[in-house]
Amino acid sequence: MATITELEVGRVVGAPLDRKEDAALLTGQAKFVDDMSLPGMVWMAVVRSPYAHARIAMVNVDGALAHRGVIAAFSGDELADEWQASLPCAWLPTEDTAQPNHRPLAVDEARYVGDGVAVVIAESRSEARDAAELVQIDYDPLPTVIDAEKALEDGSPLVHEEFGTNRCYTWNLATGEVDEEFAKADVTVKERYRQQRLIPNAIEPRGVIVQPFPATGELTMWSSTQVPHIARVTLSMVTGVPEAKLRVVAPAVGGGFGSKLNVYAEEALALVLARRLGRPIKWIEQRSEGYQSTTHGRDQIQEIELAATSEGKIRAVRAKLTVNFGAYLQLVTAGTPLLGAWLYSGAYDVAAYDFECTGVFTNTTPTDAYRGAGRPEATYAIERAVDALARKLGKDPLEIRRLNFLREFPATIASGLTVDSGDYDAHLDAALEILDHDDIRRQQSERRERGDTKQVGIGFSTYLEMCGLAPSRVLGAIRYGAGGWDAATIRFLPTGTVQVLIGTSPHGQSHVTTFSQIVAERLGIPYDDVEVLHGDTAVAPLGMDTYGSRSLTVGGVAAYHAAERIIDKARKIAAHQLEVGEDELEYENGTFSGNGNSLTTKELALQAWTAHNLPDGMEPGLEASFVYDPPNFSWPSGTHIAVVEVDTETGDVDLIRYVAVDDVGSVINPRVVEGQIHGGVAQGIAQALWEEAVYDEDGNLVTGSMMNYMVPSAAELPSYELGRTETPSPTNPLGVKGVGETGTIASTAAVMNAVVDALVPFGVTDLDMPATPERVWRALEEART
Amino acid sequence: MIPAPFDYEVAESVEHAVELLGSREDAKVLAGGHSLIPLLRLRFTRPALLVDIGRIDELRYVRDAGDKLAIGGMTRHHNVQHDPLVQEHCPVLSYAAGLIGDPQVRHRGTIGGSLAHADPAADFPAVLTALEAEVVIRGPEGERTVPVGEFVTGVFDTVLRPQDVLTEIRVPKLGPTGWSYLKFTRRAQDWATVGVTAIVRRSNGTVDSAAIALTNMAPKPVRAKAAEQALTTPNDIEAAAEASLEGTDPPSDTQGSADYRRHLARVLVRRALGEAISS
Amino acid sequence: MLALSFSLCRKELAVGQVSITVNGAEHILELEPRELLVYVLRERLGLTGTNVGCDTSSCGACTVLLDGESVKSCTLLGVQVDGHEITTIEGLATNGTMHPVQEAFHEQHGLQCGYCTPGFIMAAVSLLDETPNPSEEEIRHALEGNLCRCTGYQNIVRAVQAAAGVEV
């Protein structure tokens, strides 16, 4: 099945090497933002609205200013002149997308609980906190709207009066004869699903430090961000700090999951206040503060319809989303549903396709990308709908899946994109073997026959997703504000060690390890001789950062190509010095040989540095850069299977087994890949069974802390049983497809399908997430009556 | 994350603590701190003075006191869980201690602190109610003893007066009994959605006596007397479960509605009695 | 025992002197009573390996050893540990050699972003001190007070098993 890619011949790529990142993290020496302190540094605290919607009648900061240690305090009004532009929204999917002016501090009106209204700067963390309580604010509460569907009703309170509606935009994508297919279908199913709102919960809260250099006007910002490069560009536009004078550093970053794929009010505030006050400013989010002020994820109502033949061949898919954007558009809020827009036909060969999404403003914390962004939602909808179709036809859900799998690659899917490679039967077969499917089905029937209190359910998710995000021309066509390329520079130092400067910005994804493997292999040098530098716009100024499972498929490929350029140059020097033609040189594992002699890349690096004997006109040094723009998305796929035990009295769901077989293309470090899948799977399971951000009618976040927002621990989750199949992507020389989000994309649907499978004999097929004990119990009660 | 400012005094003895508590308006006892410090940190409470009784080592013990165990108020959950006397004479208390919070919390949280905090979702108050334990309190007028069932008066409310220190918990030894503690949570570290303690004495196919107490089914622990009375033989479990809701007034929150809690309590009472009777 | 009494004198904040032994070294510190142990470690002593992940004692990122037992340093006041011994992640390695639990986390890929890792390691050290041969079930429950968002926990559990000498 697998074809050998160029790199698989070596020893380093494909090996489960120990991570280079670990030593500092294991010993407490890694430096996260909150670990840093600068001379003269002062602290910022943000005063936030306790109302979901209110007119700000008066802000008086005098009380705060009188407090010990306080240096400055400002209302939104007092800082209004600092802003050259709204906080950035990089994606306006339609020409008529409503984009509110999003100021770092609200002026006139607060639009969600947690909206910043004033800011205090003090000598210490505690003084800033104490003084923040002394800012006096008079609010006139306004009517609120929390639910996206209600926000679209006539007469709903308006989040932004000036638009006259809460609708942000409606976007659609249709191919084929959808209405005709539905009209002539033997069978149709229509399902409605709710993607509850989630809180990303990177374990490191956000934080920022800005150091000003008043004499030169330069500013350095350390931020717990996934996107230092994007932050630099956009914050320059927001604050008017010339881009060339702004350096952004992402030091050690403790997870992101989309929540740090953003440019936030606090970064802009710290920047302008450091500029204004001439002192380094630090802000560290408190967790329950972050629950209000860091973006949330999901929050969609999905309607999906399938048209199929009586055998179960799916002919057409219709999907319609209503998406709760919250009060403002953050960086990619508006584009997030589009990232799934092409995938509502799943891994299946479908003739016609119609997708529509409507984004809606509400008085809630803005939503934005959360691990998988768009693709978990799409996968959930199609995978649950396929099960619904199987039930309607009285067929095995696996039979329906196999009947509809894409099989000829490259394959054009219903939404018009081209899938690079895959073998879906292979991963399904492998997963069933790990599961011992027949045995589990036997246990299930036995329990059903006995009428056990605890019933077993088995759920499948045979997913297809797209990574790479994305060819720049595609991003342009869907009105994204930037390109999809990434950059790498490789620099041989005179002594033969190598620096690799990358444009991606890791926060747990093992780029240092993985990129070292790629470069060490290609240049034939020891793994330990490669240093990978990232996350600092002064060190690696060119980059598009880390999100959307893009880092390896774009940044890793850029590093590969940069290594190729190094080899090309080294070959020229070797040919010159060995006095042979370039095409007479053999290159293997870092050594050029020809004419009975040889030179290593390391030796050639020294030659390039001394420059004593280079071909005429050649620049000294052995350094190369490459900016890679992917020609296509890459398309991981896989089969995930969940087995649950449902207590039909209490409604409690116990996930007893979890099998995942993924095809993420070629693998650079199998251990890193396995870790990414484990974590992704856990997050998707958590959506299915535990997590939900709940607002009350007044817009208060009821699940306001880690005590009642249910992030599961080791005690709740099972061991995962993993397998892997491999169809390398033919669109990049590494054959890689991306792995950062596959687990999350696949697992939610598998778990929910399993819970429903356990409950079908009781007449329950409609069940929302998370499948809490109470929700399961209620579904059973309703089915009984 | 940063508490509002407060003063702090270390009590060197119970008498000293009582004296310190009388020295200021709005003084509060700091025991293990695992109920109080989270509230301080979120600034939900702002006492003027904390009186730290954590250094009174003589409040940390488990002693055999004849037909009872005497447990010092500052005994940590971890020590209650692992104490051989508790394991022998009161295994349900040891077991319940092991389900509180997480290991870090159990290393610091104290049995006296947990009782005095009187969170309706906490494990100890209801378990100790089923055990018919007594609380020993020292105040300016000396020592008094209150049954646990009367000690807790409401949500975060007890008979403790501003200068009182909870010094000891006296727990009757169980002798030969069957017991069960079922704690229903969504995550291991969570407070109980509902908890059920059942202690059953039986002989020759009849139930001689039963004690059933419910966690988080009302503002304070509920002793399910009607259920206890309904249980005269092992065959009465279903009836006892049905009767267990008398006197309950469960909350509705993100962990479950009141309706769901009532349903859950019935199921858990049935299961706990089944376990207790067969153990 | 040093009797502590810190009180507010007019507008000034109360401070008092405490002695805390951290990773074997004694520190005499002037603390405000409200200073949480985690900030004493991080900001007074510069031991920033102990992290803060929440404000509700939920995440366990701040776990340290107090007299050898795991505790959440966000739920202790600095003044409460006067006269006691604290071990932080910085105190685990000896002479540059990582502690077996640190080593096991490395070998089993038990960390990704690494932010929760010091807390997990300290919790695991405390577990293995109390229960040298824990089952998988015991390990999972012993880690119920620590949250990780990257690893899905499987490799953390494996790391603890490996540190306990179980073949994984």
Side-chain angles (χ1 to χ4, degrees), chain C residues 2-25:
Chain C
L2 181 69
L4 292 172
S5 171
F6 310 158
S7 39
L8 282 165
C9 314
R10 289 176 302 277
K11 282 288 200 186
E12 291 307 302
L13 289 169
V15 287
Q17 199 179 64
V18 298
S19 154
I20 309 174
T21 301
V22 182
N23 301 330

PDB file of all heavy atoms in Angstrom, chain C residues 2-25:
ATOM      1  N   LEU C   2       8.217  29.537  66.221  1.00  0.00           N
ATOM      2  CA  LEU C   2       8.130  30.984  66.062  1.00  0.00           C
ATOM      3  C   LEU C   2       6.656  31.390  66.090  1.00  0.00           C
ATOM      4  O   LEU C   2       5.852  30.894  65.315  1.00  0.00           O
ATOM      5  CB  LEU C   2       8.749  31.341  64.711  1.00  0.00           C
ATOM      6  CG  LEU C   2       8.818  32.805  64.302  1.00  0.00           C
ATOM      7  CD1 LEU C   2       9.831  33.530  65.197  1.00  0.00           C
ATOM      8  CD2 LEU C   2       9.237  32.898  62.859  1.00  0.00           C
ATOM      9  N   ALA C   3       6.303  32.231  67.016  1.00  0.00           N
ATOM     10  CA  ALA C   3       4.905  32.695  67.046  1.00  0.00           C
ATOM     11  C   ALA C   3       4.744  33.821  66.042  1.00  0.00           C
ATOM     12  O   ALA C   3       5.508  34.770  66.031  1.00  0.00           O
ATOM     13  CB  ALA C   3       4.563  33.180  68.440  1.00  0.00           C
ATOM     14  N   LEU C   4       3.780  33.662  65.171  1.00  0.00           N
ATOM     15  CA  LEU C   4       3.609  34.656  64.124  1.00  0.00           C
ATOM     16  C   LEU C   4       2.422  35.540  64.429  1.00  0.00           C
ATOM     17  O   LEU C   4       1.386  35.068  64.858  1.00  0.00           O
ATOM     18  CB  LEU C   4       3.350  33.964  62.783  1.00  0.00           C
ATOM     19  CG  LEU C   4       4.532  33.192  62.229  1.00  0.00           C
ATOM     20  CD1 LEU C   4       4.076  32.411  61.024  1.00  0.00           C
ATOM     21  CD2 LEU C   4       5.643  34.134  61.858  1.00  0.00           C
ATOM     22  N   SER C   5       2.568  36.770  64.203  1.00  0.00           N
ATOM     23  CA  SER C   5       1.463  37.691  64.385  1.00  0.00           C
ATOM     24  C   SER C   5       1.682  38.854  63.442  1.00  0.00           C
ATOM     25  O   SER C   5       2.589  39.647  63.623  1.00  0.00           O
ATOM     26  CB  SER C   5       1.432  38.167  65.832  1.00  0.00           C
ATOM     27  OG  SER C   5       0.496  39.206  65.953  1.00  0.00           O
ATOM     28  N   PHE C   6       0.902  38.888  62.396  1.00  0.00           N
ATOM     29  CA  PHE C   6       1.058  39.973  61.422  1.00  0.00           C
ATOM     30  C   PHE C   6      -0.198  40.811  61.492  1.00  0.00           C
ATOM     31  O   PHE C   6      -1.277  40.290  61.341  1.00  0.00           O
ATOM     32  CB  PHE C   6       1.163  39.460  59.990  1.00  0.00           C
ATOM     33  CG  PHE C   6       2.175  38.367  59.793  1.00  0.00           C
ATOM     34  CD1 PHE C   6       2.070  37.524  58.707  1.00  0.00           C
ATOM     35  CD2 PHE C   6       3.230  38.190  60.675  1.00  0.00           C
ATOM     36  CE1 PHE C   6       2.985  36.517  58.502  1.00  0.00           C
ATOM     37  CE2 PHE C   6       4.153  37.179  60.475  1.00  0.00           C
ATOM     38  CZ  PHE C   6       4.029  36.339  59.386  1.00  0.00           C
ATOM     39  N   SER C   7      -0.068  42.072  61.692  1.00  0.00           N
ATOM     40  CA  SER C   7      -1.317  42.832  61.662  1.00  0.00           C
ATOM     41  C   SER C   7      -1.179  44.098  60.844  1.00  0.00           C
ATOM     42  O   SER C   7      -0.090  44.620  60.628  1.00  0.00           O
ATOM     43  CB  SER C   7      -1.827  43.106  63.055  1.00  0.00           C
ATOM     44  OG  SER C   7      -0.756  43.408  63.888  1.00  0.00           O
ATOM     45  N   LEU C   8      -2.303  44.560  60.423  1.00  0.00           N
ATOM     46  CA  LEU C   8      -2.362  45.769  59.616  1.00  0.00           C
ATOM     47  C   LEU C   8      -2.100  46.977  60.508  1.00  0.00           C
ATOM     48  O   LEU C   8      -2.802  47.184  61.479  1.00  0.00           O
ATOM     49  CB  LEU C   8      -3.762  45.920  59.026  1.00  0.00           C
ATOM     50  CG  LEU C   8      -4.086  45.046  57.829  1.00  0.00           C
ATOM     51  CD1 LEU C   8      -5.594  45.055  57.618  1.00  0.00           C
ATOM     52  CD2 LEU C   8      -3.393  45.534  56.595  1.00  0.00           C
ATOM     53  N   CYS C   9      -1.104  47.727  60.180  1.00  0.00           N
ATOM     54  CA  CYS C   9      -0.860  48.960  60.918  1.00  0.00           C
ATOM     55  C   CYS C   9      -1.322  50.076  59.987  1.00  0.00           C
ATOM     56  O   CYS C   9      -0.708  50.307  58.960  1.00  0.00           O
ATOM     57  CB  CYS C   9       0.616  49.156  61.234  1.00  0.00           C
ATOM     58  SG  CYS C   9       1.373  47.662  61.856  1.00  0.00           S
ATOM     59  N   ARG C  10      -2.357  50.702  60.349  1.00  0.00           N
ATOM     60  CA  ARG C  10      -2.967  51.743  59.504  1.00  0.00           C
ATOM     61  C   ARG C  10      -3.092  51.238  58.060  1.00  0.00           C
ATOM     62  O   ARG C  10      -3.656  50.197  57.801  1.00  0.00           O
ATOM     63  CB  ARG C  10      -2.159  53.042  59.595  1.00  0.00           C
ATOM     64  CG  ARG C  10      -2.296  53.736  60.954  1.00  0.00           C
ATOM     65  CD  ARG C  10      -1.422  54.975  61.056  1.00  0.00           C
ATOM     66  NE  ARG C  10       0.006  54.695  60.832  1.00  0.00           N
ATOM     67  CZ  ARG C  10       0.823  54.237  61.780  1.00  0.00           C
ATOM     68  NH1 ARG C  10       0.371  54.012  62.987  1.00  0.00           N
ATOM     69  NH2 ARG C  10       2.089  54.032  61.527  1.00  0.00           N
ATOM     70  N   LYS C  11      -2.523  51.960  57.114  1.00  0.00           N
ATOM     71  CA  LYS C  11      -2.692  51.622  55.706  1.00  0.00           C
ATOM     72  C   LYS C  11      -1.656  50.614  55.203  1.00  0.00           C
ATOM     73  O   LYS C  11      -1.727  50.129  54.091  1.00  0.00           O
ATOM     74  CB  LYS C  11      -2.609  52.904  54.858  1.00  0.00           C
ATOM     75  CG  LYS C  11      -3.890  53.724  54.907  1.00  0.00           C
ATOM     76  CD  LYS C  11      -4.948  52.990  54.103  1.00  0.00           C
ATOM     77  CE  LYS C  11      -6.064  53.929  53.688  1.00  0.00           C
ATOM     78  NZ  LYS C  11      -7.131  53.160  53.027  1.00  0.00           N
ATOM     79  N   GLU C  12      -0.656  50.398  56.012  1.00  0.00           N
ATOM     80  CA  GLU C  12       0.402  49.514  55.540  1.00  0.00           C
ATOM     81  C   GLU C  12      -0.058  48.060  55.584  1.00  0.00           C
ATOM     82  O   GLU C  12      -0.869  47.677  56.413  1.00  0.00           O
ATOM     83  CB  GLU C  12       1.651  49.689  56.416  1.00  0.00           C
ATOM     84  CG  GLU C  12       2.319  51.026  56.241  1.00  0.00           C
ATOM     85  CD  GLU C  12       2.640  51.343  54.794  1.00  0.00           C
ATOM     86  OE1 GLU C  12       3.364  50.545  54.168  1.00  0.00           O
ATOM     87  OE2 GLU C  12       2.148  52.369  54.267  1.00  0.00           O
ATOM     88  N   LEU C  13       0.487  47.254  54.698  1.00  0.00           N
ATOM     89  CA  LEU C  13       0.132  45.846  54.684  1.00  0.00           C
ATOM     90  C   LEU C  13       0.937  45.107  55.743  1.00  0.00           C
ATOM     91  O   LEU C  13       2.099  45.424  55.993  1.00  0.00           O
ATOM     92  CB  LEU C  13       0.431  45.243  53.316  1.00  0.00           C
ATOM     93  CG  LEU C  13      -0.511  45.711  52.221  1.00  0.00           C
ATOM     94  CD1 LEU C  13       0.009  45.280  50.870  1.00  0.00           C
ATOM     95  CD2 LEU C  13      -1.909  45.167  52.462  1.00  0.00           C
ATOM     96  N   ALA C  14       0.260  44.140  56.360  1.00  0.00           N
ATOM     97  CA  ALA C  14       0.930  43.335  57.366  1.00  0.00           C
ATOM     98  C   ALA C  14       2.028  42.506  56.717  1.00  0.00           C
ATOM     99  O   ALA C  14       1.861  41.983  55.626  1.00  0.00           O
ATOM    100  CB  ALA C  14      -0.082  42.419  58.023  1.00  0.00           C
ATOM    101  N   VAL C  15       3.146  42.414  57.386  1.00  0.00           N
ATOM    102  CA  VAL C  15       4.183  41.482  56.931  1.00  0.00           C
ATOM    103  C   VAL C  15       4.744  40.781  58.157  1.00  0.00           C
ATOM    104  O   VAL C  15       4.654  41.287  59.273  1.00  0.00           O
ATOM    105  CB  VAL C  15       5.351  42.169  56.181  1.00  0.00           C
ATOM    106  CG1 VAL C  15       4.930  42.613  54.801  1.00  0.00           C
ATOM    107  CG2 VAL C  15       5.914  43.325  56.978  1.00  0.00           C
ATOM    108  N   GLY C  16       5.304  39.638  57.942  1.00  0.00           N
ATOM    109  CA  GLY C  16       5.915  38.931  59.047  1.00  0.00           C
ATOM    110  C   GLY C  16       7.018  38.036  58.511  1.00  0.00           C
ATOM    111  O   GLY C  16       7.088  37.771  57.312  1.00  0.00           O
ATOM    112  N   GLN C  17       7.878  37.604  59.406  1.00  0.00           N
ATOM    113  CA  GLN C  17       9.036  36.843  58.966  1.00  0.00           C
ATOM    114  C   GLN C  17       8.769  35.344  59.083  1.00  0.00           C
ATOM    115  O   GLN C  17       8.248  34.891  60.095  1.00  0.00           O
ATOM    116  CB  GLN C  17      10.223  37.232  59.837  1.00  0.00           C
ATOM    117  CG  GLN C  17      11.535  36.876  59.197  1.00  0.00           C
ATOM    118  CD  GLN C  17      12.685  37.307  60.073  1.00  0.00           C
ATOM    119  OE1 GLN C  17      12.866  36.815  61.187  1.00  0.00           O
ATOM    120  NE2 GLN C  17      13.474  38.233  59.572  1.00  0.00           N
ATOM    121  N   VAL C  18       9.096  34.622  58.046  1.00  0.00           N
ATOM    122  CA  VAL C  18       8.980  33.166  58.114  1.00  0.00           C
ATOM    123  C   VAL C  18      10.279  32.534  57.631  1.00  0.00           C
ATOM    124  O   VAL C  18      11.085  33.168  56.939  1.00  0.00           O
ATOM    125  CB  VAL C  18       7.823  32.625  57.230  1.00  0.00           C
ATOM    126  CG1 VAL C  18       6.487  33.172  57.694  1.00  0.00           C
ATOM    127  CG2 VAL C  18       8.063  32.935  55.766  1.00  0.00           C
ATOM    128  N   SER C  19      10.436  31.283  58.023  1.00  0.00           N
ATOM    129  CA  SER C  19      11.594  30.517  57.557  1.00  0.00           C
ATOM    130  C   SER C  19      11.070  29.282  56.827  1.00  0.00           C
ATOM    131  O   SER C  19      10.310  28.499  57.394  1.00  0.00           O
ATOM    132  CB  SER C  19      12.437  30.123  58.775  1.00  0.00           C
ATOM    133  OG  SER C  19      13.167  28.953  58.466  1.00  0.00           O
ATOM    134  N   ILE C  20      11.428  29.167  55.584  1.00  0.00           N
ATOM    135  CA  ILE C  20      10.968  28.025  54.789  1.00  0.00           C
ATOM    136  C   ILE C  20      12.190  27.357  54.149  1.00  0.00           C
ATOM    137  O   ILE C  20      13.047  28.048  53.593  1.00  0.00           O
ATOM    138  CB  ILE C  20      10.008  28.471  53.663  1.00  0.00           C
ATOM    139  CG1 ILE C  20       8.887  29.365  54.207  1.00  0.00           C
ATOM    140  CG2 ILE C  20       9.411  27.260  52.958  1.00  0.00           C
ATOM    141  CD1 ILE C  20       7.999  29.958  53.129  1.00  0.00           C
ATOM    142  N   THR C  21      12.242  26.049  54.255  1.00  0.00           N
ATOM    143  CA  THR C  21      13.328  25.330  53.598  1.00  0.00           C
ATOM    144  C   THR C  21      12.826  24.821  52.249  1.00  0.00           C
ATOM    145  O   THR C  21      11.858  24.068  52.200  1.00  0.00           O
ATOM    146  CB  THR C  21      13.807  24.167  54.473  1.00  0.00           C
ATOM    147  OG1 THR C  21      14.247  24.711  55.718  1.00  0.00           O
ATOM    148  CG2 THR C  21      14.955  23.404  53.817  1.00  0.00           C
ATOM    149  N   VAL C  22      13.463  25.294  51.211  1.00  0.00           N
ATOM    150  CA  VAL C  22      13.021  24.911  49.871  1.00  0.00           C
ATOM    151  C   VAL C  22      14.169  24.212  49.151  1.00  0.00           C
ATOM    152  O   VAL C  22      15.258  24.780  49.031  1.00  0.00           O
ATOM    153  CB  VAL C  22      12.555  26.141  49.059  1.00  0.00           C
ATOM    154  CG1 VAL C  22      12.065  25.712  47.689  1.00  0.00           C
ATOM    155  CG2 VAL C  22      11.467  26.897  49.796  1.00  0.00           C
ATOM    156  N   ASN C  23      13.919  23.014  48.732  1.00  0.00           N
ATOM    157  CA  ASN C  23      14.935  22.208  48.047  1.00  0.00           C
ATOM    158  C   ASN C  23      16.235  22.181  48.853  1.00  0.00           C
ATOM    159  O   ASN C  23      17.334  22.302  48.311  1.00  0.00           O
ATOM    160  CB  ASN C  23      15.182  22.736  46.627  1.00  0.00           C
ATOM    161  CG  ASN C  23      13.909  22.715  45.805  1.00  0.00           C
ATOM    162  OD1 ASN C  23      13.038  21.877  46.023  1.00  0.00           O
ATOM    163  ND2 ASN C  23      13.796  23.634  44.861  1.00  0.00           N
ATOM    164  N   GLY C  24      16.072  22.087  50.173  1.00  0.00           N
ATOM    165  CA  GLY C  24      17.234  21.939  51.053  1.00  0.00           C
ATOM    166  C   GLY C  24      17.842  23.230  51.532  1.00  0.00           C
ATOM    167  O   GLY C  24      18.690  23.208  52.426  1.00  0.00           O
ATOM    168  N   ALA C  25      17.426  24.352  50.973  1.00  0.00           N
ATOM    169  CA  ALA C  25      18.028  25.616  51.394  1.00  0.00           C
ATOM    170  C   ALA C  25      17.025  26.410  52.229  1.00  0.00           C
ATOM    171  O   ALA C  25      15.857  26.534  51.849  1.00  0.00           O
ATOM    172  CB  ALA C  25      18.452  26.439  50.175  1.00  0.00           C
TER     173      ALA C  25
END
